[in-house]
Amino acid sequence: MAEEVHRSSAAEISVTSNGDLEENPEDVFGRSPGPLDLSEASVSPSSLAATEGIIESGPYKGSVSLPTSPVAPVAPSSVAASRLARSNSDSQAGKGNMQGQPTSGAVVLADDLKNPAMEKLELVRKWSINTYKCTRQILSEKMGRGSRTVDLELEAQIEVLRDNKRKYEHVIKLAQTLANQLTQIMQTQRQLGDAFADLSLKSPELHEEFGYNAETQRLLSKNGETLLSAITFFIASVTTLVDKTIEDTMLNIKQYESARVEYDAYRTDLEELNLGPRDAATMPKIELSQQQFQIHRDKYERMRNDVSIKLKFLEENKVKVLHNQLILFHNAIAAYYAGNQQQLEQTLKQFHIKLKMPGADTPSWLEEH
């Protein structure tokens, strides 16, 4: 009876009322046992004591006798039992250590990945709100419903600069046209001088007359090259003034105008909120609008001061550059049409302009090959 009490409940076979087995004993004992969960079951060497090769795991109630198992008996081993007990204790200790450890770095990575996404979303939200307010302000100004901040003195200076920029660009185009036409005249003069020189050799009776004209056309062509160098230098200097110096100031003016629109947009919002009721729901909005208004007001004033300083320095630089270039252009034109070759060359030396020789832009035979 002691053996029956200590037999495993896993080996219990239910019996019907007629005393017949519900299932075939071979089917019951032929089933493969499930995996052993060491974390839930505690195994010790004393619990592995067996009788007739059967491992005892718990009390058994019932008087049904089991048939002989077809499986060969397995002898118990104290070494195996001790290994099982040691592995069980190690696994439990490992779980305790893992539970006691802090969270791994993966959580920090998740936070790091989350923060940039939230920052980008916040930037997009602020940009959308700012764009909406500025667009509404621009439309209200064009329709005559909204008010805009105007600095009369600064606006007048900006308008003068824009008008001068258009006029300087027109002068550059005309000077470029003059340079192109002068180039064509020089080519015609060189060809005419070559034709006179050829006729001077082939017409002995008119040798001197053709020779004088050939020399005159060659001299005019040479002076034209000197004048062309002066005009080209004038065009390059004024173009640099317009496309670099003035354009840089125009970029600051665009930033100033954008800051002005933002300032007026947030000023309008603050005025609308101040006209409404002041209660617990609207006071936080008014305070936030006041903060945004102050931020854009400071930005607007800072940009206005920057533009004023830029315009002042631009005016000084413009006067200096145009003064020299206009003197160069006048002296070169006057000397060319007066036929004063020495004065024309002296003008180029005064402004450190190198004279381009005919065919200087054309690569030599060695460079081509």
Side-chain angles (χ1 to χ4, degrees):
M1 293 298 293
E3 295 176 358
E4 293 180 356
V5 170
H6 293 286
R7 288 182 182 180
S8 174
S9 61
E12 182 180 357
I13 302 175
S14 59
V15 183
T16 62
S17 61
N18 294 329
D20 298 331
L21 297 177
E22 290 182 346
E23 296 180 351
N24 189 3
E26 295 181 359
D27 297 334
V28 174
F29 287 95
R31 295 173 183 170
S32 59
L36 179 61
D37 190 0
L38 297 179
S39 64
E40 297 179 359
S42 176
V43 181
S44 63
S46 62
S47 65
L48 293 174
T51 305
E52 296 180 356
I54 301 175
I55 299 174
E56 298 178 358
S57 60
Y60 172 73
K61 294 180 181 182
S63 60
V64 180
S65 60
L66 295 175
T68 305
S69 174
V71 182
V74 180
S77 174
S78 60
V79 177
S82 62
R83 288 178 179 176
L84 289 173
R86 185 165 56 251
S87 64
N88 184 23
S89 62
D90 292 342
S91 64
Q92 291 180 356
K95 288 185 178 180
N97 293 333
M98 292 177 65
Q99 292 177 359
Q101 291 178 355
T103 56
S104 62
V107 178
V108 178
L109 282 175
D111 293 340
D112 292 342
L113 292 175
K114 184 178 179 181
N115 289 336
M118 295 300 295
E119 291 177 359
K120 290 181 180 179
L121 184 61
E122 183 66 18
L123 290 175
V124 171
R125 187 183 69 85
K126 291 181 179 179
W127 175 82
S128 302
I129 294 174
N130 187 69
T131 302
Y132 166 74
K133 292 180 181 294
C134 293
T135 304
R136 185 183 64 177
Q137 177 67 24
I138 293 173
L139 291 176
S140 63
E141 290 178 4
K142 290 184 177 181
M143 297 175 66
R145 297 178 181 178
S147 60
R148 63 187 300 263
T149 303
V150 179
D151 189 334
L152 297 178
E153 182 180 357
L154 186 60
E155 292 291 336
Q157 294 177 0
I158 293 174
E159 188 61 30
V160 169
L161 177 62
R162 287 174 175 167
D163 185 61
N164 288 337
K165 183 174 180 291
R166 290 190 293 266
K167 292 179 179 179
Y168 296 157
E169 291 173 346
H170 183 60
V171 169
I172 292 172
K173 290 181 180 179
L174 293 177
Q176 188 63 51
T177 302
L178 177 62
N180 295 335
Q181 294 173 351
L182 182 60
T183 302
Q184 296 177 358
I185 293 174
M186 289 163 47
Q187 293 176 355
T188 304
Q189 288 174 343
R190 281 195 295 267
Q191 294 175 0
L192 187 59
D194 294 338
F196 284 147
D198 183 63
L199 290 174
S200 175
L201 295 175
K202 296 180 179 180
S203 303
E205 65 280 4
L206 297 174
H207 172 73
E208 294 183 358
E209 288 79 358
F210 281 122
Y212 293 153
N213 283 277
E215 187 65 24
T216 301
Q217 296 299 322
R218 289 174 180 175
L219 181 60
L220 290 174
S221 177
K222 183 179 179 180
N223 292 342
E225 292 172 0
T226 307
L227 177 61
L228 183 62
S229 298
I231 295 176
T232 303
F233 185 78
F234 171 81
I235 293 173
S237 299
V238 179
T239 301
T240 302
L241 174 66
V242 174
D243 293 345
K244 298 294 181 62
T245 309
I246 296 180
E247 189 63 30
D248 181 66
T249 305
M250 295 300 296
L251 180 61
N252 286 86
I253 291 174
K254 291 179 181 179
Q255 295 175 354
Y256 157 74
E257 292 177 346
S258 299
R260 197 274 307 166
V261 172
E262 291 178 354
Y263 165 68
D264 285 337
Y266 284 93
R267 176 182 57 81
T268 303
D269 282 350
L270 182 60
E271 292 175 354
E272 293 177 355
L273 289 175
N274 288 330
L275 293 176
R278 291 176 173 267
D279 51 17
T282 58
M283 285 305 297
K285 296 181 179 179
I286 294 176
E287 293 178 358
L288 180 60
S289 179
Q290 180 68 33
Q291 295 175 0
Q292 294 294 327
F293 166 75
Q294 188 63 36
I295 291 173
H296 288 87
R297 180 180 180 180
D298 295 340
K299 180 181 178 182
Y300 165 73
E301 292 179 352
R302 184 173 63 255
M303 293 302 302
R304 182 179 60 183
N305 293 333
D306 291 345
V307 170
S308 299
I309 295 173
K310 279 273 189 178
L311 289 174
K312 181 180 179 181
F313 284 112
L314 174 63
E315 186 66 22
E316 295 176 357
N317 189 22
K318 180 191 69 174
V319 171
K320 185 184 300 183
V321 171
L322 290 180
H323 173 76
N324 295 332
Q325 296 304 317
L326 291 174
I327 290 177
L328 165 68
F329 191 83
H330 172 267
N331 292 342
I333 293 291
Y336 172 79
Y337 284 102
N340 193 341
Q341 181 180 358
Q342 294 180 354
Q343 184 180 356
L344 183 59
E345 293 177 354
Q346 185 65 30
T347 301
L348 267 65
K349 291 179 181 180
Q350 180 182 356
F351 290 92
H352 307 285
I353 301 174
K354 294 182 179 180
L355 180 62
K356 284 186 177 183
M357 300 303 295
D361 296 334
T362 305
S364 64
W365 181 85
L366 291 176
E367 293 176 346
E368 290 180 348
H369 298 80

